Amino acid sequence: MSPLDGAVVAVAGAGGGAGPALADRLAKAGALVAVADADLARAQRVADDVAASGGRAEAVAVDLLDADATTAWASDLTTRHGHVDGLIHLVGGWRGGTPLAEAGLDDWEALEPPLVRTVARTAQAFHDPLLASPAGRFALVSSREATKPTQTNAGYAAAKAAAETWTLALADAFSDSSAAASIIVVKALLTPAMREAKPAASFSGFTPVADLADTIAGLWDARAETVNGARLWMTEKP
C-alpha cells in the first residue's frame, strides 16, 4: 500500500505549470488532492483532469495573502476530512534582469508577497494539522538562486531565500515529530507545453515537472527526520 493511500494533500498554486503533474501523481498514489489557486477556473481544470483519470480532487480559490482565508482553508479541510497530511507550495513568480547597480526595489516589492508571504501564511495555517498527521509533509519548491544569487536577480533570489527561511523555521517547529518540512531546489521547471513548443531545445538543467512530482510524492516514503529541514537538489549545487 502506498503511504499516500487515503492521505489528504493540499497543493497551493496548483494552477501553475507544475500543478497538474503533481496533482495527478499524488492522486494516482491514493491521495485526495485539495487543489488551490487564486483563480478558481485554473484550479477546477486541474481537479477535473485528476477526476477524469480516476483520481480524487477538489478545487477551491484561496487568497493566500489573506491570513484568515488561508487559515479557513486549512481548518475546513481538517474538519471535513478529519486530517490533512501535506501542503505543497507551488506559488511562483519571477522578475529580474536588471544589473544590481541600476536596479531599484521594484522586483523585490513585486515578488515578496507571492513568494514569501504565501509561504508564511500556509506554514502558519497548516502547522497544527501537519503536526497532528502521522506523516505530515510541507514542501517548498525553491531555486538555486536562493543560495547563489546573481547580480541581475537580487530581488528574486532574496524572495526565494526568505521563503526558504520560513520553511526551515517550520522544520524546526517539527523537530522530534512525525512531520517534516522540506525544500526542493530546481534551476527551472520543464512542462509538457514547453517541450511541445520547442521540441529541439535542450532545456539543460531544467527539471521535468513529472520528476518534481515523483520527488515530492517520495517525501512520504522517507522517515521524517531524514527530510525535515533538508534541501533536495534537482539541479547542480552552487
Side-chain angles (χ1 to χ4, degrees):
M1 178 182 293
S2 165
L4 279 164
D5 192 43
V8 176
V9 181
V11 181
L22 177 60
D24 180 70
R25 176 67 176 82
L26 295 171
K28 285 180 176 174
L32 183 151
V33 187
V35 176
D37 197 89
D39 184 329
L40 179 58
R42 295 204 309 176
Q44 191 63 58
R45 281 194 293 271
V46 175
D48 289 346
D49 286 346
V50 169
S53 297
R56 297 180 300 149
E58 58 184 55
V60 65
V62 183
D63 179 3
L64 296 175
L65 296 176
D66 184 323
D68 290 340
T70 309
T71 299
W73 177 39
S75 178
D76 175 66
L77 286 175
T78 305
T79 299
R80 288 190 295 109
H81 300 294
H83 54 96
V84 177
D85 307 290
L87 183 288
I88 312 303
H89 188 280
L90 298 180
V91 181
W94 183 85
R95 281 181 53 162
T98 305
L100 182 64
E102 304 168 15
L105 293 179
D106 292 354
D107 291 344
W108 163 259
E109 290 169 353
L111 292 171
E112 185 270 338
L115 298 188
V116 183
R117 292 189 206 178
T118 60
V119 178
R121 297 302 189 205
T122 51
Q124 291 174 325
F126 284 85
H127 172 278
D128 288 356
L130 295 181
L131 196 59
S133 168
R137 297 291 184 267
F138 182 103
L140 169 75
V141 178
S142 188
S143 166
R144 69 190 304 270
E145 291 205 23
T147 49
K148 191 178 182 181
T150 60
Q151 66 155 327
T152 57
N153 287 320
Y156 174 75
K160 282 297 189 181
E164 288 196 2
T165 296
W166 277 95
T167 304
L168 294 174
L170 183 62
D172 183 62
F174 287 163
S175 296
D176 302 318
S177 79
S178 60
S182 309
I183 298 166
I184 317 294
V185 185
V186 302
K187 174 183 177 181
L189 294 174
L190 176 60
T191 68
M194 292 166 62
R195 172 59 72 196
E196 183 178 353
K198 296 183 177 180
S202 67
F203 294 105
S204 177
F206 283 45
T207 298
V209 290
D211 292 351
L212 174 70
D214 284 342
T215 295
I216 291 173
L219 293 172
W220 280 268
D221 292 315
R223 297 192 312 275
E225 63 268 22
T226 65
V227 292
N228 189 41
R231 284 187 178 88
L232 306 180
W233 291 83
M234 303 197 72
T235 182
E236 69 279 5
K237 293 184 180 181

